[in-house]
Every structure is written in structure tokens, then in C-alpha cells.
Amino acid sequence: MKDPLEELGSHLKRKGLRLTEERKKLVQLILSMKGHFSPEELLKHVKTKRLPISRATIYRILPVLVSAEIIQQSLLTEGQTRFEVTWNKDHHDHLICTYCNKVIEFQHNTIEIMQREIANRYGFILEHHVMELMGRCKDCRN
Amino acid sequence: MKDPLEELGSHLKRKGLRLTEERKKLVQLILSMKGHFSPEELLKHVKTKRLPISRATIYRILPVLVSAEIIQQSLLTEGQTRFEVTWNKDHHDHLICTYCNKVIEFQHNTIEIMQREIANRYGFILEHHVMELMGRCKDCRN
DNA sequence: GTTCATGCAAAAGGTTTGCAGTCAT
DNA sequence: ATGACTGCAAACCTTTTGCATGAAC
């Protein structure tokens, strides 16, 4: 498994784009963060770390990182787009507590297989999917 | 199965809220529409039918209809919140064509059962879920 | 040197809100 | 009569964009 910066670099080269300081710094910051983030949350981290990256640049870099398959859009959004890191991670779905907003990641191969069957049945070529289970977690159920 | 207006009326009464002309008209319009809609699309329909309901009122009524369980939020949003009618309809999930945006509704009991098992395994009380399968439909696969 | 990327500030959606007037109960 | 509801316009938040400057190749 390559280094994420090399990954990004070769992706950019393939597309005739450039590996700028801003892109390098932002990828490193994102990979150092746990969990999911919105552009505005990311901006806060950038400000906290005093990285010289503007809001506009963040909004412009995020789609590049998606197409480089380092991050992906994630979760049902309320107002803000959310992203999560996919680089070097297995696919998973989410359990979300509707009370404390805790997010648990899980995998379930049988469901994945069934999803492909459903897609086939309707003549679809499956590209990706979202499955999110919402409820009260064990700390919030009373 | 009651009439949706009665349903709404008794829900509103229970909450000490009022059954206004705007709410009646909007429910009827929504129920006459097929599929999913955003607030702005709904506003267009309202204008087309020359109903005297303002944008602000639409945005204020939609959450009321959600809590009356006549509609629910639906689908991954790109920019706009989307809703769909749930009143008098069975639960279903979605297959979405990433090329033509066609939406197919389907049901799959085995997956529903497995979702409940997953929730149990992690100590969650499941409230609801979203499952969306994205891919190329048979008309768009080449 | 060429072309792409960045920062800034303005603009562009979508959604919310304060206020004064209106209507359901 | 009371308190909820509506319309309007302004405000708000997130995201996008035009333009001049700066940097990667």
C-alpha cells in the first residue's frame, strides 16, 4: 500500500494537475483526523493548526481528494456535506445514535451480497451504496 | 386507514396546533404528487397551481408534516433537502441511477431482519434506516 | 513561460427568522 | 380574546465563482 501523498501525486499527474503545498498539507491533516468531517469543521482544524489554506481552497481541494479516492462523501447530511477517509480502509456501513450522534462502523458481507443481487434483478450495475441504521445506542436507550 | 387530512387534524389538535387552509392545501398538493420533492420544487408546484402559500410557510409546514408522519426526509441530498410521502405507504429502500437519476423503490425483508440483528449486536434500539444502492440502470449502462 | 492553483471578496443557492398583521379556536 | 400562523424581507450558512496574483511543471 503506497503512501497517500504518492497516491495523490500520481493521481494528479495522470490528470495534469499539480501537487501543491496546500494539497499536501490538507491531505496530511485529514489523514490525521479521526472520523467524519464537514468542510467547515476542516477549516476550523486548519485555522487551529495555523495552516495557510483558505476556505475557498478547501472547498476546491475536497472534490480532488474524492476523485483520488482518498476520501468520500459520507452520511446523511443535515445542512453540511460530510466526508470520511477511505484511503487504506475497508468498506463499512454506519450505525448512528439519534441521541448522542455516536457513529459505529460495521461490515456485513451477506447484506453486501444481497445488495448486488437486488441491483442485478433490476438490471443495475452497482457502483456504491449507503446503509445507515439509526437508533438509540446502549448508553442512550432509557 | 383514515383520510390524511383527518390524520393531520388530529395530530395538530394533539399538539395544540391549527389546521389552516395553507396546511390543508399543501398536504393535498403533496399527496397528489408522485415521488420525491425538495422544498423549492414544491414551491414551483404551488406557484403553478396558483396556491396562495409563501416560501416561508412551505419551509415551516414541512417539519409539521414530518412529525405527523405524512412525509419523511429521504435520500442523500445534494444541496437540497428531499422529502417523500410515507402516509399509507409501506417502507422501502431505493435504487438510484447515477446517470439518469431514476429512482426505483424496492423491499427486502431478509435485509431488514439482518439490520435489526446488527443493531441488537451493538446494543442499539433501531428506529429507522436508510439504504440506497447507486449504479447504472439498464438504460444507462453502456 | 504556460497553465493551473490560490486568496479574497462577492455572489449564489437553500433555509431560517423577526416582525407586523391575520386567522383558527 | 388569545395564541398560533402567515407573508415579507432581511439574515444566515454553506458553497461557488470571478478576478488578480502566485506557484508548479
Side-chain angles (χ1 to χ4, degrees):
Chain A
M1 188 64 66
K2 273 201 290 187
D3 179 80
L5 277 186
E6 285 179 40
E7 182 73 31
L8 177 61
S10 60
H11 170 82
L12 292 172
K13 179 165 287 179
R14 245 176 284 129
K15 296 209 159 190
L17 304 177
R18 291 164 190 180
L19 186 53
T20 63
E21 275 312 304
E22 288 82 357
R23 288 172 180 178
K24 287 188 222 170
K25 293 256 175 58
L26 199 62
V27 167
Q28 288 173 331
L29 176 60
I30 287 172
L31 292 173
S32 78
M33 293 164 42
K34 303 273 181 241
H36 307 83
F37 61 92
S38 68
E40 294 296 319
E41 287 163 0
L42 185 53
L43 178 64
K44 268 194 209 112
H45 284 270
V46 164
K47 294 298 168 213
T48 302
K49 302 230 162 178
R50 289 181 168 58
L51 301 178
I53 309 176
S54 72
R55 167 180 278 116
T57 295
I58 289 176
Y59 277 98
R60 283 190 274 232
I61 290 180
L62 287 172
V64 173
L65 301 187
V66 170
S67 78
E69 299 186 324
I70 291 170
I71 60 176
Q72 73 176 187
Q73 261 190 267
S74 152
L75 292 176
L76 284 176
T77 72
E78 356 65 359
Q80 300 205 172
T81 308
R82 297 192 75 75
F83 296 88
E84 71 179 309
V85 174
T86 51
W87 188 80
N88 205 9
K89 290 192 74 175
D90 287 333
H91 166 77
H92 60 261
D93 297 296
H94 295 120
L95 255 169
I96 304 165
C97 180
T98 52
Y99 194 74
C100 70
N101 295 312
K102 184 188 305 166
V103 177
I104 293 176
E105 303 178 350
F106 68 89
Q107 293 177 265
H108 198 296
N109 289 325
T110 311
I111 290 181
E112 304 273 321
I113 291 166
M114 289 177 169
Q115 289 172 334
R116 245 166 281 138
E117 284 171 6
I118 292 165
N120 286 341
R121 188 183 314 155
Y122 289 95
F124 271 63
I125 297 172
L126 199 54
E127 292 168 347
H128 57 111
H129 69 262
V130 177
M131 179 165 67
E132 301 186 351
L133 311 184
M134 275 77 80
R136 289 281 184 133
C137 78
K138 63 173 184 296
D139 300 328
C140 300
R141 57 196 296 172
N142 23 301
Chain B
M1 189 63 66
K2 274 202 291 188
D3 179 79
L5 278 185
E6 286 178 39
E7 182 74 30
L8 177 60
S10 61
H11 171 83
L12 292 172
K13 179 166 286 179
R14 243 176 285 130
K15 296 209 160 191
L17 305 176
R18 290 163 188 182
L19 186 54
T20 62
E21 276 312 306
E22 288 82 358
R23 288 171 181 181
K24 286 189 221 169
K25 294 256 176 58
L26 198 63
V27 168
Q28 288 172 332
L29 176 60
I30 287 172
L31 292 172
S32 78
M33 294 165 39
K34 302 273 180 243
H36 307 82
F37 61 93
S38 67
E40 295 296 317
E41 287 163 2
L42 186 53
L43 178 64
K44 269 196 206 112
H45 284 270
V46 163
K47 294 299 168 213
T48 303
K49 301 230 161 174
R50 291 180 167 58
L51 300 178
I53 309 176
S54 73
R55 167 181 279 116
T57 295
I58 288 176
Y59 277 97
R60 282 190 274 232
I61 289 179
L62 287 172
V64 174
L65 301 187
V66 170
S67 78
E69 299 186 326
I70 291 170
I71 61 176
Q72 71 175 190
Q73 261 189 266
S74 151
L75 294 177
L76 283 177
T77 72
E78 357 65 0
Q80 301 206 175
T81 308
R82 298 192 74 76
F83 296 89
E84 72 179 307
V85 174
T86 51
W87 188 80
N88 204 10
K89 290 192 75 176
D90 287 332
H91 166 76
H92 60 260
D93 296 295
H94 295 120
L95 256 170
I96 304 165
C97 180
T98 51
Y99 194 73
C100 70
N101 295 312
K102 184 188 302 163
V103 177
I104 293 176
E105 301 178 351
F106 68 89
Q107 294 177 264
H108 198 296
N109 288 326
T110 310
I111 290 181
E112 305 274 321
I113 291 166
M114 289 177 168
Q115 289 172 333
R116 243 165 284 138
E117 283 172 5
I118 293 164
N120 286 341
R121 187 183 314 155
Y122 289 94
F124 271 62
I125 297 170
L126 198 55
E127 292 168 346
H128 58 108
H129 70 262
V130 177
M131 178 164 67
E132 302 184 351
L133 311 184
M134 276 76 82
R136 289 280 183 133
C137 78
K138 63 173 184 296
D139 300 329
C140 300
R141 55 197 297 173
N142 26 298

